[in-house]
Amino acid sequence: MVQPPCKRIRLENRKEEAEEETPNGSHQLTDAEKDGNATDENLRPAPVCTVCLGILQELCEMDFVKAVCQKINSAEYQFSSFVFSVSFPPQLSVREHAAWLLVKEEIGKQDLLVEKDDLVQLKEAYKWIIHPLFLEELGVPADGKSLFEVSVVFAHHETDEDCHFLATACRSCFKPAKNKQSVFTRMAVVKALELIDDDDFLKNFRSPPSSPKTPCTAVEIQCTNGAIFVAGRYNKYSRTLPQTPWIIDGERKMESSVEELISEHLMTTFKADSFNFSSSGREDVDVRTLGNGRPFAIELVNPRRVHLTAEEMKALQQTINNSSDKVQVHDLQIVTREAIGHMKEGEEGKTKSYSALIWTEKEIRNEDVAVLDSMKELKLDQKTPLRVLHRRPLAVRVRVIHTMQSEYIDEHHFRLRLKTQAGTYIKEFVHGDFGRTKPNIGSLLGTTADILELDVESVDTDWPPALDN
């Protein structure tokens, strides 16, 4: 497009025409001239700032804020405040440094002293401008402690061109890294600027900086909510259900797991991206968890919903319980990240109660097994069981059987209820694991013994707090 001639040319072409002057001698523009001048100004793009690369121009105006807020609202996040983070192109630090050197020189000419820390950084200035606009558009305040984060990544295609001289001057600061598109990261550039002296800098980079060819652009707008944590207790009533997905050599062995039966409903309700499951110990696939259940916690990553009422939590708990007869949960509640630590605190000092159905090779009488009832605080030396040696280091662990209570069934069977130190391998205590657990039921009774069924009857911890549900 050919731009129309500017006002100066038009006026020169009309010098010989009769001109109507105002009382002070200035030329009175016609309506056509006014319109033509406005057209010229609109067509001529505003120059891009040599320091901020346009970030404090169009990228902090309400139109940009509206575009960001549209993305926030479309994601349907639940939040009452927000923290705004920005990632600027690394060369902004270079251009800020160049501007600072110019300011320092000019101030010095006036025999004044100014420190670099006295200047407002571009990022801070940007947030000062942008925060009130977000408040106006979103209706919630900016809060540095908010769990809801809005992050914007700005980029500029001249980054390498502006920064390349630093790679020569400060080679040690720039090392190729995996998964990085450029060696010129913000941290590397800042470190290099701290090392390079002013004269070397000014030999390689103009002060004030040269005009950029194009402004910055926002290449990514992302919203994330801080994780929330849901805790409770679960009972497992199946002997064919693992606690977590059971996959061996890429092949799934069971169709579901405790973790999945609980978490799938939490994921749906809280609209989270992913989850992390943890519990106070774990039971084998063929072991039931009865009694007061096993404490568990699930971290929900980037949830869209973060608040549920007590009634909504009860309804969620009921949904989980109605979905399967293999697992039931109770005391379901939202907890803090710090509270999760209570579940793991003093793990080995906790006690757990079990019920084991035991078979003996030798015929037994009631008085044979009754001898176990009198044994208190029985110490075991347990070498890492063969069945878990592939995932746990080889070690000998001392564990304690606090109490035992036997129930005679017939010549080859009896039930044993045990209260033990957490972390005790009960199956190995029964059959001995080829002598790797000493003593064991077989050695105590003078016969070969094996375990037929095992149930966890209680995990003795007061976390999470019991609820009235």
Side-chain angles (χ1 to χ4, degrees), residues 417-429:
R417 290 184 169 82
L418 314 91
K419 187 171 186 179
T420 76
Q421 178 184 358
T424 304
Y425 291 105
I426 304 302
K427 291 179 178 179
E428 282 67 25
F429 171 58

Side-chain angles (χ1 to χ4, degrees), residues 346-393:
E347 194 71 54
E348 292 187 2
K350 297 174 183 175
T351 60
K352 297 183 180 181
S353 299
Y354 298 89
S355 173
L357 179 60
I358 298 172
W359 167 87
T360 62
E361 183 179 44
K362 185 179 72 176
E363 289 189 5
I364 55 172
R365 295 170 298 176
N366 184 45
E367 53 266 33
D368 293 328
V369 297
V371 69
L372 299 174
D373 299 356
S374 61
M375 295 182 182
K376 311 294 182 184
E377 305 303 317
L378 178 65
K379 288 188 177 181
L380 313 178
D381 289 329
Q382 289 201 305
K383 191 176 288 188
T384 304
L386 292 172
R387 63 188 173 91
V388 300
L389 197 54
H390 66 284
R391 56 184 171 88
R392 297 211 172 162

Side-chain angles (χ1 to χ4, degrees), residues 55 85-97 116 121-124 127 152-154 159-160 163 166 173-175 180-195:
I55 286 176
S85 65
V86 289
S87 174
F88 288 157
Q91 82 257 44
L92 281 188
S93 297
V94 177
R95 289 175 172 268
E96 276 188 292
H97 190 74
K116 193 171 185 179
Q121 290 190 343
L122 177 61
K123 183 174 289 189
E124 292 304 309
K127 289 184 178 181
V152 180
V153 177
F154 294 100
T159 294
D160 288 3
C163 297
L166 290 174
C173 297
F174 302 95
K175 298 178 180 178
K180 294 287 182 69
Q181 293 182 345
S182 171
V183 296
F184 298 114
T185 63
R186 191 187 72 84
M187 293 300 294
V189 168
V190 169
K191 184 178 179 181
L193 291 174
E194 291 174 352
L195 296 176

Side-chain angles (χ1 to χ4, degrees), residues 229 231 278-280 297 335-347 350 461 463:
F229 300 84
S278 60
S279 63
S280 180
V335 299
T336 63
R337 181 186 293 272
E338 292 71 26
I340 301 296
H342 296 308
M343 185 173 67
K344 299 295 184 181
E345 282 176 0
E347 194 71 54
K350 297 174 183 175
T461 177
W463 192 90

